[in-house]
Amino acid sequence: MSTDKAQATENGEAQAVQGDSLTVTDNRTGESYEFEITEGTVSAMDFRQIKVSEDDFGLMTHDPGLSNTSHCRSSVSYIGGEEGTLEYRGIPIDQLCDYSNYLEVAYLLIYGHLPTEDEYNDWVYQVTHHTFVHENIKDFMHGFRHDADPMGMLLASVGALSTFYPEAREIQNEHERHMAAVRLIAKMPTLAAFAYRHSLGLPYVYPDNELSYTGNFLNMLFKMSEAKYEPDPRVERALDVLFILHADHEQNCSAATVRTVGSSLTDPYTAITGGVAALYGPLHGGANIQVVEMLERIGSTENVPDFLEGVKNGNERMMGFGHRVYKNYDPRARIIQDHIEEVLEATGKQNPLLDIARELEKRALDDEYFTDRKLYPNVDFYSGVIYEALNIPTEMFTVMFAIPRTSGWMAQWMEWMNDEELRIVRPRQIYTGARDADYVPINER
Ligand code: ACO
């Protein structure tokens, strides 16, 4: 083990002890190999030495979905999958939700420490003063059909931002990186709100710099003819907590996509567009839409037992349940629940889907099918219900996820750009197709 690695192990409290190794015997040749175990991992490249002959390519590891492959070192966020905990830069998510706010958390994720008062004030000022988008973006948005999905509009417009800030291609320049972080975090709510207003045929509302990050977002979504929009502080705070909860989640599908796209050394706007695209799918950011559709389909608490039978028979999937990493209650789902009543009180709404969700959860947590498979509610089980209570339409749910996740993507991208192990992501494959096939002219096929 090199001195560097030994140091990293000590400081990172990783489990590996100096001298840990793995001995592998290749039964095809009888040869044995010893590989170093560091930080609970072996290097996949070590396996390349295992060959049956000189001209053999060497052994590869096969891991679809990268379920058991670490693809980077990261100190941004940590998930305790077994115990159901989440930390950003080592700080438990519940503390951040209780004492911090989304913009402070965004700074923490990106710069690795809580800001001093001056740093915080400067950061908030910068984000607040970069919320406007170029007027041409508005024209660009006008080009979408009236019924265009807001997430598709967001995807396209974030991608377009790279053309407005070509200087962001200077990815080694610290100032340009910082400005891309400020601009992306500042403009994401504006783009999201414009996409929403477009779908309703309503005029776009420009940012109000006197409001908080979430207060301004609510203003851009919901302001009508009033001279000044005044957000309900309970709604503003609940949304801020939701944004904190969604800010980062280690190497999930979209963060891994941002790193993959970024590995080709493209600009951060383009890399983050990759994250938005990955988030669009129903197994990732789109899951809470499916949860609401599922709850609507169930219709009433009486139908819950039949629905659960359908899940157990494999005819249904319980959306908002289960997670690749959490094998316990997702801490984010618990924190969201704490805010649901408050939001319902503020908006004066009753949401019958909440009763169905609670009944589903109660019965599932009492059922061996779910407990044996360690299937618990994830963040999406209740996030759709709370967004509904906030008057956010279903088609905006994934957009609501993309806004705060931008800070996590940016933190992951910056960390990756500083990583001495950075190299272009280029996986291998097990080729299953034909070889040496001949081209057949079209008239002979
Ligand atoms: N409903 C019913 N059964 C489930 C569910 C579910 N939601 N999730 C997993 N299972 C079952 C699987 O069928 C499998 O059972 P088996 O062993 O009998 O075959 C077992 O639990 C293990 O599940 P996998 O599919 O191997 O788990 P994986 O880690 O690949 O999938 C995933 C994780 C995609 C999140 C899955 O649990 C799922 O589809 N959940 C519903 C979608 C969802 O809520 N996604 C949001 C995730 S959080 C986020 O992205 C922010």
Side-chain angles (χ1 to χ4, degrees), residues 9-25:
T9 301
E10 243 169 63
N11 293 344
E13 293 177 4
Q15 288 140 1
V17 175
Q18 192 161 6
D20 275 4
S21 68
L22 174 76
T23 303
V24 176
T25 304

Side-chain angles (χ1 to χ4, degrees), residues 1 5 9 14-17 20-22 35-44 46-47 68-73 421:
M1 187 185 283
K5 278 183 183 168
T9 301
Q15 288 140 1
V17 175
D20 275 4
S21 68
L22 174 76
F35 302 142
E36 187 182 46
I37 300 178
T38 45
E39 297 161 282
T41 61
V42 289
S43 160
D46 280 350
F47 286 78
N68 197 40
T69 297
S70 152
H71 80 142
C72 63
R73 285 187 166 72
E421 290 184 313

Side-chain angles (χ1 to χ4, degrees), residues 249 282-285 287 291 311 316-324 327 330 332 369-370 373 375 378-380 401:
H249 214 226
L283 291 186
H284 190 13
V291 171
V311 173
E316 301 272 6
R317 195 152 191 89
M318 175 100 138
M319 299 311 288
F321 255 64
H323 198 273
R324 177 62 62 79
K327 299 302 165 200
D330 180 337
R332 302 168 301 172
Y369 176 91
F370 295 93
R373 289 171 177 75
L375 299 173
N378 61 47
V379 67
D380 289 318
F401 193 156

Side-chain angles (χ1 to χ4, degrees), residues 208 211-220 229-231 236 239:
D208 180 342
L211 295 175
S212 70
Y213 189 76
T214 50
N216 172 49
F217 180 51
L218 291 165
N219 158 64
M220 292 189 292
Y229 179 86
E230 286 181 12
E236 204 177 349
L239 191 56

Side-chain angles (χ1 to χ4, degrees), residues 52-340:
V52 285
S53 61
E54 264 309 301
D55 57 355
D56 184 0
F57 178 77
L59 212 57
M60 293 192 295
T61 54
H62 182 60
D63 187 10
L66 305 180
S67 304
N68 197 40
T69 297
S70 152
H71 80 142
C72 63
R73 285 187 166 72
S74 181
S75 60
V76 181
S77 56
Y78 173 80
I79 302 174
E82 290 301 322
E83 62 273 25
T85 55
L86 172 62
E87 294 166 9
Y88 293 162
R89 301 285 186 184
I91 304 177
I93 192 73
D94 359 8
Q95 284 190 30
L96 293 168
C97 288
D98 283 348
Y99 307 120
S100 187
N101 62 58
Y102 172 68
L103 281 187
E104 187 180 51
V105 165
Y107 185 99
L108 169 74
L109 288 169
I110 292 171
Y111 291 109
H113 61 271
L114 287 168
T116 61
E117 201 171 340
D118 284 351
E119 285 169 337
Y120 173 76
N121 290 337
D122 185 44
W123 173 247
V124 173
Y125 181 90
Q126 288 190 51
V127 171
T128 309
H129 289 83
H130 281 88
T131 46
F132 278 71
V133 291
H134 194 289
E135 285 290 292
N136 288 2
I137 296 255
K138 263 174 56 188
D139 299 340
F140 185 75
M141 289 245 173
H142 278 309
F144 285 102
R145 267 175 61 133
H146 69 281
D147 56 356
D149 187 272
M151 188 65 175
M153 291 177 71
L154 184 73
L155 174 63
S157 49
V158 177
L161 282 184
S162 77
T163 65
F164 289 84
Y165 304 103
E167 63 274 24
R169 283 184 222 141
E170 289 174 44
I171 57 172
Q172 297 309 334
N173 181 324
E174 290 294 335
H175 175 70
E176 292 307 337
R177 284 186 192 183
H178 172 78
M179 287 316 298
V182 168
R183 288 195 174 109
L184 274 158
I185 292 169
K187 294 182 197 313
M188 206 59 119
T190 314
L191 296 175
F194 282 13
Y196 169 68
R197 305 280 293 201
H198 177 88
S199 66
L200 296 178
L202 289 170
Y204 304 149
V205 175
Y206 285 172
D208 180 342
N209 291 352
E210 285 175 11
L211 295 175
S212 70
Y213 189 76
T214 50
N216 172 49
F217 180 51
L218 291 165
N219 158 64
M220 292 189 292
L221 285 180
F222 299 129
K223 183 172 184 290
M224 295 305 285
S225 57
E226 64 270 42
K228 183 158 178 85
Y229 179 86
E230 286 181 12
D232 184 311
R234 292 167 294 182
V235 173
E236 204 177 349
R237 178 66 192 149
L239 191 56
D240 199 66
V241 168
L242 281 162
F243 280 6
I244 294 174
L245 293 176
H246 285 87
D248 196 52
H249 214 226
E250 54 128 285
Q251 302 313 309
N252 54 79
C253 179
S254 56
T257 306
V258 168
R259 284 182 184 257
T260 301
V261 177
S263 77
S264 71
L265 305 186
T266 183
D267 69 88
Y269 296 98
T270 306
I272 277 160
T273 307
V276 179
L279 195 69
Y280 207 164
L283 291 186
H284 190 13
N288 52 9
I289 298 179
Q290 310 254 331
V291 171
V292 168
E293 285 170 2
M294 174 186 80
L295 296 173
E296 282 170 348
R297 209 153 32 87
I298 296 171
S300 93
T301 48
E302 286 138 48
N303 299 332
V304 165
D306 281 352
F307 176 79
L308 286 177
E309 275 314 302
V311 173
K312 287 169 9 182
N313 295 337
N315 300 328
E316 301 272 6
R317 195 152 191 89
M318 175 100 138
M319 299 311 288
F321 255 64
H323 198 273
R324 177 62 62 79
V325 184
Y326 289 118
K327 299 302 165 200
N328 205 324
Y329 212 103
D330 180 337
R332 302 168 301 172
R334 194 175 299 111
I335 296 171
I336 289 184
Q337 286 208 65
D338 293 345
H339 288 269
I340 291 181

